[in-house]
């Protein structure tokens, strides 16, 4: 289990919850009442929903998007993608071609292929685990590329879109990020859940 367990109370504002989530590095919080009874749980998804309903017209996507998002090409090997993913602060990479976003890859997208590789290796008897045998396995079964594992046709938003609208799109489509493009359709940024958290943290007062 994860310890310590952080919690919040029912009377906390969305801004204070966003601040606390960011400070503690958590994506959900149990909600405890004055009698120390569990009455619910609030997640980043809930924070996004509240933001999308209450803060229309306050920010543009470009105000809080991640600039210069991590990118790979459709033909990059899965091993290169994994290396880039491990260095990405967002835990996601955008697959681009000629500057246009084609797909999204997250850590979960590469997990199953990695498990498959492990299964292939384990299937060999100890006597056959020679370098040549393993090389043949990798050549014939595991040389996947970015286009094989990416989520295709990502939902994109223009850089001048209302941030609350972007949050609404993320909530309704249950996605964790949105590639941001300019007027030419070229990738210029990435909106993630933490973009919304950052917007809330920077607000001096909460309108409702």
């Amino acid at each position: 289990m994860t310890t310590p367990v952080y919690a919040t109370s029912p009377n906390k504002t969305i801004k204070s919850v966003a601040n606390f989530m960011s400070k503690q590095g958590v994506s959900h919080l149990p909600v405890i009442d004055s009698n120390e009874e569990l009455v619910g749980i609030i997640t980043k998804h809930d924070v996004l929903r509240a933001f999308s309903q209450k803060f229309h017209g306050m920010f543009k996507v470009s105000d809080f998007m991640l600039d210069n998002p991590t990118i790979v090409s459709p033909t990059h090997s899965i091993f290169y993608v994994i290396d880039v993913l491990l260095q990405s602060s967002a835990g996601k990479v955008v697959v681009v071609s000629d500057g246009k976003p084609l797909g999204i890859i997250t850590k979960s997208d590469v997990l199953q292929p990695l498990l498959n590789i492990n299964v292939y290796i384990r299937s060999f008897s100890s006597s056959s685990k020679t370098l040549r045998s393993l090389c043949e396995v990798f050549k014939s079964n595991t040389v996947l590329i970015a286009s094989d594992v990416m989520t295709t046709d990502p939902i994109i938003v223009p850089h001048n879109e209302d941030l609350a609208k972007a949050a609404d799109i993320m909530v309704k489509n249950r996605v964790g990020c949105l590639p941001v493009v300019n007027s030419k359709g070229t990738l210029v940024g990435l909106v993630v859940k933490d973009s919304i958290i950052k917007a809330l943290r920077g607000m001096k007062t909460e309108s409702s």
Side-chain angles (χ1 to χ4, degrees), residues 15-130:
K15 178 182 177 180
S16 65
V17 169
N19 271 323
F20 193 69
M21 282 182 169
S22 180
K23 181 179 179 180
Q24 303 301 337
V26 297
S27 58
H28 58 273
L29 291 168
V31 182
I32 307 296
D33 66 14
S34 57
N35 296 318
E36 298 188 353
E37 294 287 336
L38 177 67
V39 294
I41 187 168
I42 186 167
T43 67
K44 282 187 179 179
H45 187 80
D46 298 318
V47 173
L48 260 67
R49 181 185 295 108
F51 185 90
S52 70
Q53 296 170 350
K54 296 182 178 182
F55 302 109
H56 283 283
M58 295 189 66
F59 306 105
K60 296 295 184 184
V61 163
S62 57
D63 295 332
F64 291 98
M65 70 183 185
L66 298 178
D67 296 314
N68 303 313
T70 306
I71 63 173
V72 296
S73 77
T75 56
H76 272 134
S77 76
I78 188 173
F79 302 108
Y80 177 83
V81 171
I82 291 169
D83 185 53
V84 172
L85 266 173
L86 292 175
Q87 299 177 52
S88 170
S89 59
K92 303 169 179 62
V93 298
V94 185
V95 183
V96 301
S97 178
D98 296 325
K100 306 295 192 297
L102 301 180
I104 298 287
I105 300 177
T106 66
K107 291 177 181 178
S108 60
D109 291 323
V110 299
L111 179 59
Q112 189 58 53
L114 285 179
L115 291 175
N116 290 342
I117 291 172
N118 187 49
V119 169
Y120 278 120
I121 293 176
R122 286 173 177 267
S123 69
F124 279 79
S125 66
S126 58
S127 61
S128 66
K129 285 185 179 179
T130 63

Side-chain angles (χ1 to χ4, degrees), residues 88-208:
S88 170
S89 59
K92 303 169 179 62
V93 298
V94 185
V95 183
V96 301
S97 178
D98 296 325
K100 306 295 192 297
L102 301 180
I104 298 287
I105 300 177
T106 66
K107 291 177 181 178
S108 60
D109 291 323
V110 299
L111 179 59
Q112 189 58 53
L114 285 179
L115 291 175
N116 290 342
I117 291 172
N118 187 49
V119 169
Y120 278 120
I121 293 176
R122 286 173 177 267
S123 69
F124 279 79
S125 66
S126 58
S127 61
S128 66
K129 285 185 179 179
T130 63
L131 179 60
R132 178 174 295 179
S133 297
L134 287 177
C135 284
E136 289 304 315
V137 171
F138 277 88
K139 286 180 181 179
S140 61
N141 295 297
T142 63
V143 185
L144 298 175
I145 58 177
S147 60
D148 294 324
V149 297
M150 70 182 185
T151 299
T152 58
D153 300 320
I155 302 171
I156 61 175
V157 291
H159 65 97
N160 58 352
E161 180 63 90
D162 184 355
L163 187 60
K165 177 64 178 299
D168 185 57
I169 292 172
M170 293 169 73
V171 168
K172 289 181 177 177
N173 292 277
R174 304 194 70 83
V175 294
C177 65
L178 299 171
V180 183
V181 298
N182 61 19
S183 59
K184 296 180 180 179
T186 301
L187 181 74
V188 294
L190 189 69
V191 173
V192 296
K193 291 180 180 179
D194 282 341
S195 301
I196 311 302
I197 299 295
K198 184 178 179 181
L200 282 168
R201 291 187 66 193
M203 294 174 61
K204 293 182 179 180
T205 58
E206 190 169 335
S207 61
S208 60

